[in-house]
Amino acid sequence: MSGHSKFANIKHKKERNDAAKGKVFTILGRELAVAVKEGGPDPANNSKLRDIIAKAKANNMPNDTIDRGIKKAAGDAGSVNYETITYEGYGPNGVAIIVDTLTDNKNRTAANVRNAFTKGGGNVGTPGCVSFMFDKKGQIIIDKEECEMDPDELMMVSLDAGAEDFSEEEDSFEIITAPEEFSAVREALETAGIPMVEADVTMIPQTWVELTDEDSIKKMNRIMDLLDVEDDVQATYHNWSE
């Protein structure tokens, strides 16, 4: 995928998310609740919670909102049982799409996800139908303009902390980790004062699909827009080379 800027794609995704800031905070609130329920409310003893707090701050969630979310989750950890369900399917021209959801009503979520695919000319498939086309990895994106550290030094900090790969793009640095090493690498960069545009465990496509006709692009955007506004959807991954 030479010449395709991952950072530009991240920025595009952020602009899409910024248009629905409330949705982003809803997503993060649910992730905080699940992390607290699984590992307790103390970030010092809960690495998953530390990662989500860092992600919340990167998305400009106020500290008091984060604190309230943690306290609320700690106080009523048993009141809402969110279930993680992943859907896989196809968009136009065989674009592979994975949808991660966190829901308290799986019938509602299934219907809404299926509706998004259908309206964009796609279809939901069986579990595992497209996930083999992706690698689950920790991915950290750093904006070159915001990073004062020398690239070689940044690479060494990353690799010493356990990163698998370090690459330099036109406008950013990308650090890839195994999922189990993600927290350690992110915290090492945080300790070194490196600002991160994006830091998350994600699904990275092994190959990319280009959409050349306007109708297919319109349909794919329709699927993505409908999934973006769906409250139960936590994240979407696809191999469309936008």
Side-chain angles (χ1 to χ4, degrees):
M1 202 180 68
S2 60
H4 181 75
S5 169
K6 298 180 185 68
F7 183 47
N9 203 27
I10 291 286
K11 284 196 291 188
H12 171 67
K13 188 170 76 174
K14 280 202 171 296
E15 284 162 11
R16 202 195 283 264
N17 282 348
D18 285 342
K21 183 63 77 177
K23 166 71 192 296
V24 179
F25 286 2
T26 298
I27 287 172
L28 291 165
R30 290 188 182 189
E31 289 186 12
L32 284 169
V34 171
V36 169
K37 186 171 182 180
E38 290 178 357
D42 183 3
N45 300 316
N46 186 340
S47 63
K48 184 176 178 181
L49 181 57
R50 287 199 300 274
D51 289 339
I52 295 166
I53 290 170
K55 184 176 168 183
K57 288 180 177 178
N59 279 277
N60 301 315
M61 181 182 262
N63 287 333
D64 61 338
T65 305
I66 296 170
D67 291 339
R68 276 201 310 273
I70 293 171
K71 285 173 184 168
K72 184 174 186 296
D76 59 10
S79 63
V80 178
N81 286 310
Y82 289 117
E83 184 178 357
T84 300
I85 304 173
T86 298
Y87 298 90
E88 301 181 31
Y90 301 92
N93 289 19
V95 171
I97 305 171
I98 298 174
V99 184
D100 283 343
T101 69
L102 206 54
T103 179
D104 56 358
N105 184 331
K106 57 186 180 183
N107 291 333
R108 175 193 67 218
T109 305
N112 290 347
V113 169
R114 197 172 298 279
N115 179 58
F117 274 83
T118 302
K119 285 191 172 178
N123 61 283
V124 175
T126 55
C129 68
V130 301
S131 55
F132 69 93
M133 303 181 199
F134 295 75
D135 294 317
K136 188 173 186 177
K137 297 288 183 182
Q139 182 186 46
I140 298 168
I141 306 290
I142 297 163
D143 184 354
K144 277 187 177 178
E145 290 183 2
E146 293 183 5
C147 183
E148 296 177 1
M149 186 178 284
D150 177 78
D152 289 338
E153 189 180 349
L154 178 61
M155 180 173 68
M156 291 313 300
V157 169
S158 306
L159 297 177
D160 286 348
E164 285 183 355
D165 192 29
F166 178 94
S167 60
E168 185 171 347
E169 301 288 324
E170 183 182 339
D171 47 11
S172 61
F173 301 108
E174 181 191 44
I175 298 159
I176 299 295
T177 78
E180 57 272 16
E181 298 295 334
F182 168 73
S183 293
V185 176
R186 186 198 63 74
E187 288 178 7
L189 293 170
E190 188 175 67
T191 300
I194 306 299
M196 291 164 267
V197 176
E198 187 100 337
D200 214 347
V201 175
T202 187
M203 300 293 282
I204 299 176
Q206 296 163 1
T207 57
W208 298 84
V209 174
E210 285 193 21
L211 298 178
T212 52
D213 63 290
E214 282 301 315
D215 186 54
S216 294
I217 292 169
K218 188 176 179 180
K219 285 179 176 176
M220 186 64 193
N221 276 320
R222 175 78 165 143
I223 293 173
M224 297 306 296
D225 287 343
L226 287 169
L227 291 172
D228 272 347
V229 298
E230 173 53 44
D231 278 347
D232 296 334
V233 172
Q234 295 294 108
T236 56
Y237 312 101
H238 58 77
N239 66 349
W240 172 30
S241 179
E242 294 179 71

Coordinates of all heavy atoms in Angstrom, one line a residue, residues 141-221:
I141 N 0.2 5.6 16.3 CA 0.5 6.6 15.2 C 0.9 7.9 15.9 O 0.3 8.4 16.9 CB -0.7 6.9 14.4 CG1 -1.3 5.6 13.8 CG2 -0.4 7.9 13.3 CD1 -0.5 5.0 12.7
I142 N 2.1 8.4 15.5 CA 2.6 9.6 16.0 C 2.8 10.7 14.9 O 3.4 10.4 13.9 CB 4.0 9.3 16.7 CG1 3.9 8.4 17.8 CG2 4.7 10.6 17.1 CD1 5.1 7.7 18.3
D143 N 2.3 11.9 15.1 CA 2.4 13.0 14.2 C 3.8 13.5 14.2 O 4.3 13.9 15.3 CB 1.3 14.0 14.6 CG 1.3 15.2 13.6 OD1 2.1 15.2 12.7 OD2 0.4 16.1 13.8
K144 N 4.4 13.5 13.0 CA 5.8 14.0 13.0 C 6.0 15.4 13.5 O 6.9 15.8 14.2 CB 6.3 14.0 11.5 CG 6.9 12.6 11.1 CD 7.5 12.8 9.7 CE 8.1 11.5 9.3 NZ 8.6 11.5 7.9
E145 N 5.0 16.3 13.2 CA 5.0 17.7 13.6 C 5.0 17.8 15.2 O 5.5 18.8 15.7 CB 3.9 18.5 13.0 CG 4.0 18.7 11.5 CD 2.9 19.5 10.9 OE1 2.1 20.0 11.7 OE2 2.9 19.7 9.7
E146 N 4.4 16.9 15.8 CA 4.3 17.0 17.3 C 5.4 16.3 18.0 O 5.5 16.3 19.3 CB 2.9 16.4 17.7 CG 1.7 17.2 17.3 CD 0.4 16.7 17.8 OE1 0.4 15.7 18.6 OE2 -0.7 17.2 17.4
C147 N 6.2 15.5 17.3 CA 7.3 14.7 18.0 C 8.6 15.4 17.8 O 9.1 15.6 16.7 CB 7.3 13.3 17.3 SG 8.5 12.2 18.1
E148 N 9.2 15.7 19.0 CA 10.5 16.4 19.0 C 11.7 15.4 19.0 O 12.8 15.7 18.8 CB 10.6 17.3 20.2 CG 9.6 18.5 20.1 CD 9.6 19.3 21.3 OE1 10.5 19.1 22.2 OE2 8.9 20.3 21.4
M149 N 11.4 14.1 19.3 CA 12.4 13.1 19.5 C 13.0 12.7 18.1 O 12.3 12.6 17.1 CB 11.9 11.8 20.2 CG 13.0 10.8 20.5 SD 12.3 9.4 21.4 CE 12.1 10.1 23.1
D150 N 14.3 12.5 18.0 CA 14.9 12.0 16.8 C 14.3 10.7 16.4 O 14.1 9.8 17.2 CB 16.4 11.8 17.1 CG 17.2 11.3 15.9 OD1 17.4 12.0 14.9 OD2 17.4 10.0 15.9
P151 N 14.0 10.5 15.1 CA 13.4 9.2 14.6 C 14.1 7.9 15.1 O 13.5 7.0 15.4 CB 13.4 9.4 13.1 CG 13.4 10.8 12.9 CD 14.2 11.4 14.0
D152 N 15.5 8.0 15.0 CA 16.2 6.8 15.4 C 16.1 6.5 16.9 O 16.0 5.3 17.3 CB 17.7 6.9 15.1 CG 18.0 6.9 13.6 OD1 17.2 6.3 12.9 OD2 19.0 7.4 13.1
E153 N 16.1 7.6 17.7 CA 15.9 7.4 19.1 C 14.5 6.9 19.4 O 14.3 6.0 20.3 CB 16.1 8.7 19.8 CG 16.2 8.6 21.4 CD 16.4 9.9 22.1 OE1 16.8 10.9 21.4 OE2 16.2 10.0 23.3
L154 N 13.5 7.4 18.7 CA 12.1 7.0 18.9 C 12.0 5.5 18.5 O 11.3 4.8 19.2 CB 11.2 7.8 18.0 CG 9.7 7.5 18.0 CD1 9.1 7.7 19.4 CD2 8.9 8.3 17.0
M155 N 12.6 5.1 17.5 CA 12.6 3.7 17.1 C 13.2 2.8 18.1 O 12.6 1.8 18.5 CB 13.3 3.5 15.7 CG 13.4 2.0 15.3 SD 14.1 1.8 13.6 CE 15.8 2.2 13.9
M156 N 14.3 3.2 18.7 CA 15.0 2.4 19.8 C 14.1 2.3 21.0 O 14.0 1.3 21.6 CB 16.4 3.0 20.1 CG 17.4 2.8 19.0 SD 17.4 1.2 18.3 CE 17.8 0.2 19.7
V157 N 13.5 3.5 21.4 CA 12.6 3.4 22.6 C 11.4 2.4 22.3 O 11.1 1.6 23.2 CB 12.0 4.9 22.9 CG1 10.9 4.8 23.9 CG2 13.1 5.8 23.4
S158 N 10.9 2.5 21.1 CA 9.8 1.6 20.8 C 10.2 0.1 20.8 O 9.5 -0.7 21.4 CB 9.2 2.0 19.4 OG 8.9 3.3 19.3
L159 N 11.3 -0.2 20.1 CA 11.7 -1.6 20.0 C 12.2 -2.1 21.4 O 11.9 -3.3 21.7 CB 12.9 -1.7 19.0 CG 12.5 -1.3 17.5 CD1 13.7 -1.4 16.6 CD2 11.4 -2.3 17.0
D160 N 12.9 -1.3 22.1 CA 13.3 -1.7 23.5 C 12.1 -2.0 24.4 O 12.2 -2.9 25.2 CB 14.2 -0.6 24.1 CG 15.6 -0.5 23.5 OD1 15.9 -1.5 22.8 OD2 16.3 0.5 23.8
A161 N 11.0 -1.4 24.2 CA 9.8 -1.6 25.0 C 9.0 -2.8 24.5 O 8.1 -3.3 25.2 CB 8.9 -0.4 25.0
G162 N 9.4 -3.4 23.3 CA 8.7 -4.6 22.9 C 8.0 -4.5 21.5 O 7.3 -5.4 21.2
A163 N 8.2 -3.3 20.8 CA 7.5 -3.2 19.5 C 8.0 -4.2 18.5 O 9.2 -4.6 18.6 CB 7.6 -1.7 19.0
E164 N 7.2 -4.6 17.6 CA 7.6 -5.5 16.5 C 8.2 -4.7 15.3 O 9.0 -5.2 14.6 CB 6.3 -6.3 16.0 CG 5.9 -7.4 16.9 CD 4.7 -8.1 16.3 OE1 4.2 -7.8 15.2 OE2 4.3 -9.1 16.9
D165 N 7.6 -3.6 15.0 CA 8.0 -2.9 13.8 C 7.8 -1.4 14.0 O 7.0 -0.9 14.8 CB 7.1 -3.3 12.7 CG 7.6 -2.9 11.3 OD1 8.8 -2.7 11.2 OD2 6.8 -2.7 10.4
F166 N 8.7 -0.6 13.3 CA 8.7 0.9 13.3 C 8.8 1.3 11.9 O 9.7 0.9 11.2 CB 9.8 1.4 14.2 CG 9.9 2.9 14.2 CD1 9.3 3.6 15.3 CD2 10.6 3.6 13.3 CE1 9.4 5.0 15.3 CE2 10.7 5.0 13.3 CZ 10.1 5.7 14.3
S167 N 7.9 2.2 11.4 CA 8.0 2.7 10.1 C 7.8 4.2 10.0 O 7.0 4.7 10.9 CB 7.1 1.9 9.1 OG 5.7 2.1 9.6
E168 N 8.4 4.8 9.1 CA 8.3 6.2 8.9 C 7.4 6.5 7.6 O 7.8 6.1 6.5 CB 9.6 6.9 8.8 CG 9.6 8.4 8.7 CD 11.0 9.1 8.8 OE1 11.9 8.4 9.1 OE2 11.1 10.2 8.5
E169 N 6.3 7.2 7.8 CA 5.5 7.6 6.7 C 5.8 9.1 6.4 O 6.7 9.7 7.0 CB 4.0 7.5 7.1 CG 3.6 6.1 7.5 CD 3.5 5.1 6.3 OE1 3.1 5.6 5.2 OE2 3.8 4.0 6.5
E170 N 5.1 9.6 5.4 CA 5.4 11.0 4.9 C 5.2 12.0 6.1 O 5.9 12.9 6.3 CB 4.5 11.3 3.8 CG 4.7 12.7 3.2 CD 3.8 13.0 2.0 OE1 3.2 12.1 1.4 OE2 3.5 14.2 1.8
D171 N 4.1 11.8 6.9 CA 3.7 12.8 7.9 C 3.6 12.2 9.3 O 3.1 12.8 10.2 CB 2.3 13.4 7.5 CG 1.3 12.4 7.1 OD1 1.6 11.2 7.3 OD2 0.2 12.8 6.6
S172 N 4.0 10.9 9.4 CA 3.8 10.3 10.7 C 4.8 9.1 10.9 O 5.5 8.7 10.0 CB 2.4 9.7 10.8 OG 2.2 8.8 9.8
F173 N 4.9 8.6 12.2 CA 5.6 7.4 12.5 C 4.5 6.4 12.9 O 3.5 6.7 13.6 CB 6.5 7.6 13.6 CG 7.6 8.6 13.4 CD1 7.6 9.8 14.0 CD2 8.6 8.4 12.5 CE1 8.5 10.8 13.8 CE2 9.6 9.3 12.2 CZ 9.5 10.6 12.9
E174 N 4.7 5.1 12.5 CA 3.8 4.0 12.9 C 4.6 3.0 13.6 O 5.6 2.5 13.2 CB 3.1 3.4 11.6 CG 2.2 2.3 12.0 CD 1.7 1.5 10.8 OE1 2.5 1.1 10.0 OE2 0.5 1.2 10.8
I175 N 4.0 2.6 14.8 CA 4.6 1.6 15.6 C 3.6 0.4 15.7 O 2.5 0.6 16.1 CB 5.0 2.1 17.0 CG1 6.0 3.2 16.9 CG2 5.5 1.0 17.9 CD1 6.1 4.2 18.0
I176 N 4.1 -0.8 15.4 CA 3.3 -2.0 15.5 C 3.8 -2.9 16.6 O 5.0 -3.1 16.7 CB 3.3 -2.8 14.1 CG1 2.8 -1.9 13.0 CG2 2.5 -4.1 14.2 CD1 1.3 -1.5 13.1
T177 N 2.8 -3.4 17.4 CA 3.2 -4.4 18.5 C 2.3 -5.6 18.4 O 1.2 -5.6 17.8 CB 3.0 -3.7 19.9 OG1 1.6 -3.7 20.2 CG2 3.5 -2.3 19.9
A178 N 2.7 -6.6 19.1 CA 1.8 -7.8 19.3 C 0.8 -7.2 20.3 O 1.1 -6.4 21.1 CB 2.6 -8.9 19.9
P179 N -0.5 -7.8 20.3 CA -1.5 -7.2 21.2 C -1.1 -7.3 22.7 O -1.4 -6.3 23.4 CB -2.7 -8.2 21.0 CG -2.5 -8.7 19.6 CD -1.0 -8.8 19.4
E180 N -0.4 -8.3 23.1 CA 0.0 -8.4 24.5 C 1.2 -7.5 24.9 O 1.4 -7.3 26.1 CB 0.4 -9.9 24.8 CG 1.5 -10.5 24.0 CD 1.0 -11.1 22.7 OE1 -0.2 -10.9 22.3 OE2 1.8 -11.9 22.1
E181 N 1.8 -6.9 23.9 CA 2.9 -6.0 24.2 C 2.5 -4.5 24.1 O 3.2 -3.6 24.4 CB 4.1 -6.2 23.2 CG 4.7 -7.6 23.3 CD 5.4 -7.8 24.7 OE1 5.8 -6.8 25.3 OE2 5.5 -9.0 25.1
F182 N 1.2 -4.3 23.6 CA 0.8 -3.0 23.3 C 0.9 -2.0 24.5 O 1.4 -0.9 24.5 CB -0.7 -3.0 22.8 CG -1.3 -1.7 22.8 CD1 -1.0 -0.7 21.8 CD2 -2.3 -1.3 23.7 CE1 -1.6 0.5 21.7 CE2 -2.9 -0.1 23.6 CZ -2.6 0.8 22.7
S183 N 0.4 -2.5 25.7 CA 0.3 -1.6 26.9 C 1.7 -1.2 27.3 O 1.9 0.0 27.6 CB -0.3 -2.3 28.1 OG -1.7 -2.6 27.8
A184 N 2.7 -2.1 27.3 CA 4.0 -1.8 27.7 C 4.7 -0.7 26.7 O 5.3 0.2 27.2 CB 4.9 -3.1 27.7
V185 N 4.4 -0.9 25.5 CA 5.0 0.0 24.5 C 4.4 1.4 24.6 O 5.0 2.4 24.6 CB 4.9 -0.5 23.0 CG1 5.4 0.5 22.0 CG2 5.6 -1.8 22.9
R186 N 3.0 1.4 24.7 CA 2.3 2.7 24.8 C 2.8 3.5 26.1 O 3.0 4.7 26.0 CB 0.8 2.5 24.9 CG 0.0 3.8 24.9 CD -1.4 3.6 25.4 NE -1.5 3.2 26.8 CZ -1.3 3.9 27.8 NH1 -0.9 5.2 27.7 NH2 -1.4 3.4 29.0
E187 N 2.9 2.7 27.2 CA 3.4 3.4 28.5 C 4.8 3.9 28.4 O 5.1 4.9 28.9 CB 3.1 2.4 29.6 CG 1.6 2.2 29.9 CD 1.4 1.3 31.1 OE1 2.3 0.8 31.7 OE2 0.2 1.0 31.3
A188 N 5.7 3.1 27.7 CA 7.0 3.6 27.5 C 7.1 4.9 26.7 O 7.9 5.8 27.1 CB 7.9 2.5 26.8
L189 N 6.3 5.0 25.7 CA 6.2 6.2 24.9 C 5.6 7.4 25.7 O 6.1 8.5 25.6 CB 5.4 6.0 23.6 CG 6.0 5.0 22.6 CD1 5.0 4.7 21.5 CD2 7.3 5.6 22.0
E190 N 4.6 7.1 26.5 CA 4.0 8.1 27.4 C 5.0 8.6 28.4 O 5.1 9.8 28.6 CB 2.8 7.4 28.1 CG 1.9 8.4 28.8 CD 0.7 7.8 29.4 OE1 0.8 6.9 30.3 OE2 -0.5 8.1 29.0
T191 N 5.7 7.7 29.0 CA 6.8 8.1 29.9 C 7.8 9.0 29.3 O 8.3 9.9 29.9 CB 7.4 6.8 30.5 OG1 6.4 6.1 31.2 CG2 8.5 7.2 31.6
A192 N 8.1 8.7 28.0 CA 9.1 9.5 27.3 C 8.5 10.8 26.8 O 9.3 11.6 26.1 CB 9.7 8.7 26.1
G193 N 7.3 11.1 27.0 CA 6.6 12.3 26.6 C 6.3 12.4 25.2 O 6.2 13.5 24.6
I194 N 6.1 11.3 24.5 CA 5.7 11.2 23.1 C 4.2 11.4 22.9 O 3.5 10.5 23.4 CB 6.2 9.9 22.4 CG1 7.7 9.7 22.7 CG2 5.9 9.9 21.0 CD1 8.6 10.7 22.1
P195 N 3.7 12.4 22.2 CA 2.3 12.6 22.0 C 1.8 11.6 20.9 O 2.5 11.4 19.9 CB 2.1 14.0 21.5 CG 3.5 14.4 20.9 CD 4.5 13.5 21.7
M196 N 0.8 10.9 21.2 CA 0.3 9.9 20.2 C -1.1 10.3 19.7 O -2.0 10.7 20.4 CB 0.1 8.5 21.0 CG 1.5 7.9 21.3 SD 1.3 6.6 22.6 CE 1.6 7.5 24.1
V197 N -1.2 10.3 18.3 CA -2.5 10.6 17.7 C -3.5 9.5 17.9 O -4.6 9.7 18.1 CB -2.2 10.8 16.1 CG1 -3.5 11.1 15.4 CG2 -1.3 12.0 15.9
E198 N -3.0 8.3 17.8 CA -3.8 7.1 17.9 C -3.0 6.0 18.6 O -1.8 5.8 18.2 CB -4.3 6.6 16.5 CG -5.3 5.5 16.5 CD -6.7 6.0 16.3 OE1 -7.0 7.2 16.6 OE2 -7.6 5.2 15.9
A199 N -3.6 5.3 19.5 CA -3.0 4.2 20.2 C -4.1 3.2 20.5 O -4.9 3.4 21.4 CB -2.2 4.6 21.4
D200 N -4.1 2.0 19.9 CA -5.2 1.1 20.1 C -4.8 -0.3 19.6 O -3.9 -0.4 18.7 CB -6.4 1.5 19.4 CG -7.7 1.2 20.2 OD1 -7.6 0.4 21.1 OD2 -8.8 1.7 19.8
V201 N -5.4 -1.3 20.1 CA -5.3 -2.6 19.4 C -6.3 -2.7 18.3 O -7.5 -2.4 18.5 CB -5.5 -3.8 20.5 CG1 -5.5 -5.1 19.8 CG2 -4.5 -3.7 21.6
T202 N -5.8 -3.0 17.1 CA -6.7 -2.9 15.9 C -6.5 -4.1 15.0 O -5.8 -5.0 15.3 CB -6.3 -1.6 15.2 OG1 -7.2 -1.3 14.1 CG2 -4.9 -1.6 14.6
M203 N -7.3 -4.1 14.0 CA -7.2 -5.1 12.9 C -6.6 -4.5 11.7 O -7.2 -3.6 11.1 CB -8.6 -5.7 12.7 CG -9.3 -6.3 13.9 SD -8.4 -7.8 14.5 CE -9.0 -9.1 13.3
I204 N -5.4 -5.0 11.3 CA -4.7 -4.4 10.2 C -4.9 -5.3 8.9 O -4.5 -6.5 9.0 CB -3.2 -4.2 10.5 CG1 -3.1 -3.2 11.7 CG2 -2.5 -3.7 9.3 CD1 -1.7 -3.0 12.1
P205 N -5.4 -4.8 7.8 CA -5.6 -5.7 6.6 C -4.3 -6.2 6.1 O -3.3 -5.4 6.1 CB -6.3 -4.7 5.6 CG -6.8 -3.6 6.5 CD -5.9 -3.4 7.6
Q206 N -4.3 -7.4 5.6 CA -3.1 -7.9 4.9 C -3.0 -7.5 3.5 O -2.0 -7.3 2.9 CB -3.2 -9.5 5.0 CG -3.1 -10.0 6.4 CD -3.5 -11.5 6.5 OE1 -3.9 -12.1 5.5 NE2 -3.6 -12.0 7.7
T207 N -4.2 -7.3 2.8 CA -4.3 -6.7 1.5 C -5.4 -5.7 1.4 O -6.2 -5.6 2.3 CB -4.6 -7.8 0.5 OG1 -5.9 -8.4 0.8 CG2 -3.5 -8.9 0.4
W208 N -5.4 -4.8 0.4 CA -6.3 -3.7 0.3 C -7.1 -3.8 -1.0 O -6.6 -4.3 -2.0 CB -5.6 -2.4 0.4 CG -4.8 -2.2 1.7 CD1 -3.6 -2.6 2.0 CD2 -5.3 -1.5 2.8 NE1 -3.3 -2.3 3.3 CE2 -4.3 -1.6 3.8 CE3 -6.5 -0.8 3.1 CZ2 -4.4 -1.0 5.1 CZ3 -6.6 -0.2 4.4 CH2 -5.6 -0.3 5.3
V209 N -8.3 -3.3 -0.9 CA -9.2 -3.3 -2.1 C -9.5 -1.9 -2.5 O -9.8 -1.0 -1.6 CB -10.6 -4.0 -1.8 CG1 -11.5 -3.8 -2.9 CG2 -10.4 -5.5 -1.4
E210 N -9.3 -1.6 -3.8 CA -9.6 -0.2 -4.3 C -11.0 -0.2 -4.9 O -11.4 -1.1 -5.6 CB -8.6 0.2 -5.3 CG -7.2 0.6 -4.7 CD -6.3 1.3 -5.7 OE1 -6.9 1.8 -6.7 OE2 -5.1 1.3 -5.5
L211 N -11.8 0.8 -4.6 CA -13.1 1.0 -5.2 C -12.9 2.2 -6.2 O -12.5 3.3 -5.9 CB -14.1 1.4 -4.2 CG -14.4 0.3 -3.1 CD1 -15.4 0.8 -2.1 CD2 -14.9 -1.0 -3.7
T212 N -13.2 1.9 -7.5 CA -13.0 2.9 -8.5 C -14.3 3.6 -9.0 O -14.2 4.7 -9.5 CB -12.3 2.2 -9.7 OG1 -13.0 1.1 -10.1 CG2 -10.8 1.8 -9.3
D213 N -15.4 2.9 -9.0 CA -16.6 3.5 -9.5 C -17.4 4.2 -8.4 O -17.4 3.8 -7.2 CB -17.5 2.5 -10.1 CG -18.0 1.4 -9.2 OD1 -17.2 0.6 -8.7 OD2 -19.2 1.5 -8.8
E214 N -18.0 5.3 -8.7 CA -18.7 6.2 -7.8 C -19.8 5.5 -7.0 O -20.0 5.7 -5.8 CB -19.3 7.4 -8.5 CG -18.3 8.5 -8.9 CD -17.6 9.1 -7.7 OE1 -18.2 9.4 -6.7 OE2 -16.3 9.2 -7.8
D215 N -20.5 4.6 -7.6 CA -21.6 3.9 -7.0 C -21.1 3.0 -5.8 O -21.6 3.0 -4.7 CB -22.3 3.0 -8.0 CG -23.6 2.4 -7.3 OD1 -24.4 3.1 -6.8 OD2 -23.7 1.1 -7.4
S216 N -20.0 2.3 -6.0 CA -19.4 1.5 -5.0 C -18.9 2.3 -3.8 O -19.0 2.0 -2.7 CB -18.2 0.6 -5.6 OG -18.7 -0.3 -6.5
I217 N -18.2 3.4 -4.1 CA -17.7 4.3 -3.1 C -18.8 4.9 -2.3 O -18.8 4.9 -1.1 CB -16.9 5.5 -3.8 CG1 -15.6 4.9 -4.4 CG2 -16.5 6.6 -2.7 CD1 -14.8 5.9 -5.2
K218 N -19.9 5.3 -3.0 CA -21.1 5.8 -2.3 C -21.7 4.8 -1.4 O -22.1 5.1 -0.2 CB -22.1 6.3 -3.3 CG -23.3 7.0 -2.8 CD -24.2 7.5 -3.9 CE -25.4 8.2 -3.4 NZ -26.3 8.7 -4.4
K219 N -21.8 3.5 -1.8 CA -22.4 2.4 -1.0 C -21.5 2.1 0.2 O -22.0 1.9 1.3 CB -22.6 1.2 -1.9 CG -23.7 1.3 -2.8 CD -23.9 0.0 -3.6 CE -25.1 0.0 -4.5 NZ -25.2 -1.2 -5.4
M220 N -20.2 2.1 0.0 CA -19.3 1.8 1.1 C -19.3 2.9 2.2 O -19.4 2.7 3.4 CB -17.8 1.7 0.6 CG -16.8 1.3 1.6 SD -17.1 -0.4 2.3 CE -16.1 -0.4 3.7
N221 N -19.4 4.2 1.7 CA -19.5 5.3 2.7 C -20.9 5.2 3.4 O -20.9 5.6 4.6 CB -19.4 6.6 1.9 CG -18.0 7.1 1.7 OD1 -17.2 6.9 2.6 ND2 -17.7 7.6 0.6

